[in-house]
Amino acid sequence: GLGWLLLKSFWLELRETWPNEYWDDFVRKSSTRKGRHCLRPEVSRTFTFGEVGVSRGQFYKTHLKHIKLNQENVDWLDLDLTYIASADRFDSWLSKEISMADVVTLEDIQRLSSSASPKAYAMMFKESNWKRISKHFGLAEDIKDGVYRGSYRSVIPFTWQGKHRIYL
């Protein structure tokens, strides 16, 4: 299943209304979020091993069975993680990353050769095109209370083909 870390204050606020299932959807509800956002790691620190669970295998075959645990040692003390020290710092860092990315369309991405050098791309889309775009990149299609799965302040950042940074 999923694994999240919550601030104690957030847990104390929500524990009386915490659902027995689909709590990831519960956390995305605007009445729960109250304008707050969640940072999540792109390299999963959890692993799901089967279809059995409260979600009844809803996304197992299409998404969850492909999750891989990180196999590389990371020396966290050597990394500069100041960009995630606060929401303001992260927002500034993300804005800078997006502004430096090449603005493209889905058609531009589809024309990329597999030998293309690693690059960052930003792509705008309309909600009416979301299913087509999410299918192309293998992203979860669900939108809960106006929030796309994996988004942060309406931006969906991810690595594609193991080398390209994409900001939708």
Side-chain angles (χ1 to χ4, degrees):
L2 301 171
W4 289 17
L5 294 171
L6 302 176
L7 293 173
K8 181 179 180 182
S9 58
F10 190 54
W11 170 247
L12 293 174
E13 175 187 333
L14 299 177
R15 70 180 176 185
E16 299 302 322
T17 57
W18 196 264
N20 290 328
E21 55 188 25
Y22 300 107
W23 49 265
D24 54 327
D25 293 341
F26 167 75
V27 173
R28 285 192 281 169
K29 291 171 57 177
S30 60
S31 60
T32 304
R33 282 193 338 270
K34 298 179 182 175
R36 298 174 285 205
H37 295 271
C38 174
L39 291 180
R40 49 102 184 122
E42 285 193 45
V43 178
S44 182
R45 293 184 303 248
T46 60
F47 181 71
T48 187
F49 49 83
E51 296 181 65
V52 178
V54 295
S55 67
R56 297 168 195 79
Q58 181 182 17
F59 293 112
Y60 181 76
K61 289 180 181 167
T62 55
H63 300 289
L64 300 177
K65 78 175 184 179
H66 304 291
I67 293 175
K68 296 190 179 1
L69 292 174
N70 181 40
Q71 299 296 312
E72 299 175 24
N73 288 327
V74 176
D75 186 348
W76 296 103
L77 296 176
D78 278 350
L79 296 179
D80 179 7
L81 300 175
T82 56
Y83 70 100
I84 60 171
S86 70
D88 288 341
R89 282 189 181 181
F90 185 76
D91 291 350
S92 294
W93 175 84
L94 183 60
S95 293
K96 182 180 173 189
E97 292 291 308
I98 293 168
S99 70
M100 293 187 320
D102 288 353
V103 178
V104 295
T105 64
L106 180 58
E107 290 71 26
D108 295 330
I109 292 288
Q110 290 170 329
R111 285 192 292 269
L112 277 179
S113 77
S114 59
S115 61
S117 297
K119 205 165 192 177
Y121 298 102
M123 189 170 73
M124 300 289 289
F125 67 90
K126 293 181 179 172
E127 188 173 327
S128 59
N129 296 331
W130 174 240
K131 284 200 179 220
R132 183 171 155 244
I133 290 166
S134 62
K135 187 173 189 156
H136 176 78
F137 290 113
L139 301 172
E141 297 176 2
D142 65 316
I143 305 167
K144 301 291 184 196
D145 207 7
V147 178
Y148 295 88
R149 188 176 292 273
S151 69
Y152 175 81
R153 300 197 191 279
S154 302
V155 176
I156 306 167
F158 61 96
T159 300
W160 185 58
Q161 294 184 338
K163 61 183 176 180
H164 301 296
R165 289 297 297 162
I166 306 287
Y167 300 99
L168 298 179

